[in-house]
């Protein structure tokens, strides 16, 4: 793959995954439930200061986590002829201290795109066009050294959320006049309005043992729910401008115009720091990265109440060389 170059690699993988998609579709049509031997292709690349993982997976090969009422065949045709393409890049620094070694890892780029495998003509003639496809709704990454006996401590740089709330008080006084020889009745009512400003993507860091866990969640800006584990609100399906309608052309879209997402160091470049025992100096450490990616479909321009979420899992080994003191 490295010899082919990135452009030929992408074209090659789209051709391979188109064949895999056709094969799986044929088996599903004949009611055969045998799963593919490998649902995705991924590889890792390690060099001084950089880790990179590249992966490809046809959408039809991803596990279905949830789905709603049955969909029209033309819609299913458009949804299944896509593949997920993802690049995960981390920058790292190794600093030898007096009593330990600091390993500092920063997010450089995480890019996920859902790319169609057929031309626009076929997608329109046999499907419902190119506007109906899945979108990334959650990304979860787990990063840790394989041998953890040399780890002294782990620190993350992202605090848990502490969102500000704007509270507005609305007060009103209602008066009524009763018959003679009675008291004047006064009714006082007070209401409270809470407004919050939420970004569609929420980023969290956590630590489990000697492992760092990074999560990106997409939230529905109408009710704040996590998209990957919910269905579109019924009222949103009939309102004129829910966020997921025309989601690839709206100025408030949480995706690129092609329907993908990019998490770069400008906003998500938070670091994770491991303090490692000095016995690792001059050696090469092996690190493990595990990942889970969720793709969700909510209707875009096509009139339907169908929704579904799919998930894939990958795992790769990375190398890190600790220079001599």
């Amino acid at each position: 793959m490295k010899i082919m170059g990135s452009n030929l690699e992408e074209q090659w993988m789209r051709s391979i995954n188109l064949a895999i998609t056709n094969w799986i579709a044929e088996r599903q049509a004949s009611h055969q439930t045998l799963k593919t031997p490998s649902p995705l292709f991924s590889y890792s690349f390690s060099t001084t200061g950089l880790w990179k993982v590249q992966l490809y997976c046809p959408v039809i090969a991803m596990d279905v986590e949830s789905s709603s009422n049955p969909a029209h065949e033309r819609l299913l045709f458009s949804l299944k002829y896509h593949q997920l393409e993802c690049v995960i890049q981390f920058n790292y620094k190794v600093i030898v201290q007096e009593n330990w070694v600091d390993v500092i890892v920063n997010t450089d780029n995480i890019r996920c795109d859902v790319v169609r495998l057929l031309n626009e003509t076929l997608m329109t003639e046999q499907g419902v066009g190119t506007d109906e496809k899945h979108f990334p709704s959650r990304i979860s990454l787990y990063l840790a050294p394989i041998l953890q006996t040399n780890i002294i401590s782990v620190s993350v740089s992202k605090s848990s959320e502490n969102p500000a709330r704007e509270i507005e008080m609305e007060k009103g006084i209602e008066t009524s006049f009763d018959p003679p020889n009675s008291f004047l009745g006064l009714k006082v009512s007070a209401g409270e309005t809470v407004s919050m400003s939420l970004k569609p993507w929420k980023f969290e860091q956590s630590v489990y043992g000697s492992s760092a866990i990074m999560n990106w969640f997409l939230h529905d800006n109408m009710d704040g729910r996590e998209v990957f584990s919910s269905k579109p609100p019924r009222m949103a399906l009939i309102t004129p401008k829910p966020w997921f309608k025309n989601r690839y052309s709206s100025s408030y879209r949480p995706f690129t115009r092609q329907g993908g997402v990019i998490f770069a160091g400008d906003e998500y470049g938070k670091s994770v720091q491991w303090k490692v025992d000095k016995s690792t100096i001059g050696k090469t450490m092996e690190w493990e990265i595990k990942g889970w990616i969720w793709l969700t479909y909510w209707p875009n321009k096509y009139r339907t109440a169908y929704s579904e979420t799919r998930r894939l899992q990958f795992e790769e080994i990375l190398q890190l060389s600790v220079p001599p003191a």
Side-chain angles (χ1 to χ4, degrees):
M1 286 297 177
K2 296 174 187 176
I3 294 173
M4 291 173 65
S6 59
N7 290 339
L8 282 177
E9 175 187 317
E10 289 178 357
Q11 295 178 23
W12 171 256
M13 290 308 303
R14 289 172 190 176
S15 298
I16 291 294
N17 283 334
L18 173 58
I20 292 175
T21 299
N22 285 332
W23 177 64
I24 296 176
E26 290 174 2
R27 299 188 69 86
Q28 289 178 347
S30 59
H31 304 287
Q32 299 184 43
T33 57
L34 178 66
K35 294 189 68 174
T36 55
S38 177
L40 65 89
F41 170 76
S42 66
Y43 66 89
S44 63
F45 173 73
S46 303
T47 188
T48 304
L50 175 68
W51 286 331
K52 177 182 177 181
V53 175
Q54 180 98 33
L55 64 90
Y56 303 87
C57 183
V59 169
I60 196 173
M62 297 174 65
D63 294 331
V64 177
E65 284 223 327
S66 63
S67 63
S68 63
N69 39 304
H72 192 275
E73 286 298 323
R74 290 174 63 89
L75 174 60
L76 293 178
F77 182 91
S78 286
L79 293 180
K80 69 186 178 185
Y81 278 100
H82 287 86
Q83 77 168 3
L84 172 66
E85 300 178 0
C86 188
V87 177
I88 298 167
Q89 293 177 180
F90 290 106
N91 295 325
Y92 70 84
K93 294 187 295 185
V94 180
I95 304 173
V96 179
Q97 307 286 5
E98 182 178 354
N99 297 317
W100 61 75
V101 176
D102 284 329
V103 177
I104 305 171
V105 179
N106 293 80
T107 301
D108 175 59
N109 252 217
I110 296 175
R111 305 189 298 272
C112 289
D113 288 293
V114 180
V115 181
R116 59 182 167 88
L117 299 173
L118 296 177
N119 60 40
E120 188 173 349
T121 301
L122 279 173
M123 295 291 273
T124 302
E125 290 178 350
Q126 300 187 42
V128 293
T130 59
D131 293 318
E132 303 305 313
K133 62 178 183 179
H134 294 76
F135 54 84
S137 56
R138 180 184 174 186
I139 300 173
S140 181
L141 299 177
Y142 163 106
L143 184 62
I146 292 180
L147 183 61
Q148 300 192 1
T149 56
N150 296 320
I151 303 302
I152 300 173
S153 67
V154 186
S155 302
V156 296
S157 59
K158 177 73 168 63
S159 302
S160 57
E161 290 295 328
N162 186 26
R165 298 198 310 173
E166 298 176 2
I167 299 179
E168 302 173 359
M169 297 296 295
E170 297 179 354
K171 296 180 179 180
I173 298 178
E174 297 179 1
T175 60
S176 62
F177 295 94
D178 294 331
N181 302 322
S182 63
F183 292 99
L184 178 65
L186 291 178
K187 296 180 180 180
V188 180
S189 63
E192 179 180 352
T193 302
V194 179
S195 60
M196 298 180 66
S197 177
L198 295 174
K199 292 184 177 181
W201 283 98
K202 181 178 180 181
F203 173 58
E204 292 181 347
Q205 284 183 323
S206 59
V207 174
Y208 180 76
S210 297
S211 307
I213 302 171
M214 290 159 276
N215 279 291
W216 289 262
F217 299 91
L218 177 63
H219 287 257
D220 185 343
N221 61 10
M222 297 184 69
D223 54 19
R225 294 183 302 169
E226 294 174 350
V227 171
F228 86 99
S229 59
S230 59
K231 298 178 181 179
R234 292 184 178 180
M235 290 301 297
L237 292 171
I238 59 176
T239 54
K241 293 183 179 180
W243 69 268
F244 52 87
K245 293 286 189 179
N246 301 307
R247 56 178 171 262
Y248 306 127
S249 56
S250 167
S251 59
Y252 299 101
R253 62 182 181 266
F255 314 104
T256 64
R257 191 170 182 83
Q258 291 71 35
V261 291
I262 300 175
F263 303 126
D266 59 344
E267 186 171 357
Y268 298 100
K270 303 296 183 181
S271 64
V272 182
Q273 180 173 337
W274 285 265
K275 284 181 168 48
V276 185
D277 188 85
K278 293 191 69 174
S279 62
T280 58
I281 291 177
K283 299 179 181 178
T284 297
M285 299 178 63
E286 287 195 331
W287 292 63
E288 179 184 43
I289 180 170
K290 292 182 180 179
W292 297 262
I293 300 175
W294 286 259
L295 298 184
T296 296
Y297 171 73
W298 285 8
N300 183 19
K301 296 182 178 181
Y302 184 69
R303 284 181 168 270
T304 180
Y306 182 72
S307 64
E308 74 169 20
T309 294
R310 292 175 176 263
R311 179 182 61 88
L312 70 82
Q313 179 179 348
F314 68 91
E315 182 177 340
E316 289 291 335
I317 302 299
L318 307 165
Q319 282 77 40
L320 180 146
S321 297
V322 181

